[in-house]
Amino acid sequence: MSDSQDTERISKLANKNAWATGLLTFFFLPIGYIYTGRYKALFKGFGIVILITFLGLMIDSSLEDDDEFFDLVAGIYVVVATIENVRAVNQAKKLNSGLNQNNSANLPSANNVELKLLKLMKRNREVTLADCVIETGLSSQQVRETLEEMMIQQLITMDNRESDGSIVYRLI
């Protein structure tokens, strides 16, 4: 599964209500898993219950007539499935909030970039393109486009430094 599919799956699961998930899973087990869209987990759990039941009957064939054994296995499955399904929703909420924080940190808005550049220019009086790239962490092309936009808005000016002729940017 690709990263975008994982992110989408986590985001969908994170939007589910943990209480609704718990109640649906406890009282209507398949409906709880359908609500969360976790079909694989439903079938895995069901397969494990079948395996445990089969092994129990292989070990002690007298359990075949014992309804308490089947009730015990089913009861344990419902409780474990409820806990597991609610845990998955809560874990997705934590992961989703982390993903959102990472995405917002990795993709600064144009206003934040402009503000960083303006502060840099105020602090250093004049800056080069390299200074701006280092400050923002963006590509030189992205920084150049931002600087050009800031010149159009008449926030900064571009000039040549007298000492070495380098292109520098200054506040107006």
Side-chain angles (χ1 to χ4, degrees), residues 20-67:
T21 299
L23 291 172
L24 285 171
T25 306
F26 188 78
F27 291 109
F28 310 102
L29 189 120
I31 304 296
Y33 277 98
I34 291 169
Y35 171 69
T36 58
R38 300 183 64 237
Y39 307 106
K40 285 183 183 178
L42 172 65
F43 292 123
K44 282 180 186 177
F46 188 65
I48 290 169
V49 167
I50 298 288
L51 180 66
I52 290 172
T53 304
F54 179 74
L55 290 174
L57 293 174
M58 294 267 308
I59 293 170
D60 187 1
S61 61
S62 67
L63 292 175
E64 194 172 311
D65 297 330
D66 189 3
D67 287 339

Side-chain angles (χ1 to χ4, degrees), residues 68-145:
E68 289 180 14
F69 172 71
F70 295 109
D71 290 343
L72 178 65
V73 171
I76 291 172
Y77 174 49
V78 167
V79 170
V80 170
T82 302
I83 293 168
E84 191 274 334
N85 209 15
V86 171
R87 183 208 55 80
V89 169
N90 288 331
Q91 188 68 24
K93 288 180 186 293
K94 286 180 188 175
L95 287 172
N96 195 44
S97 68
L99 287 172
N100 288 340
Q101 288 174 355
N102 287 344
N103 286 343
S104 63
N106 291 338
L107 300 173
S109 70
N111 290 338
N112 289 341
V113 172
E114 288 181 7
L115 185 60
K116 278 183 178 183
L117 293 174
L118 289 171
K119 286 180 179 181
L120 178 67
M121 288 176 206
K122 185 170 185 172
R123 204 172 44 239
N124 297 346
R125 301 214 182 232
E126 62 182 26
V127 295
T128 63
L129 179 62
D131 294 329
C132 297
V133 168
I134 292 168
E135 179 72 18
T136 63
L138 298 173
S139 72
S140 59
Q141 181 62 34
Q142 290 172 310
V143 172
R144 186 175 285 118
E145 290 171 2

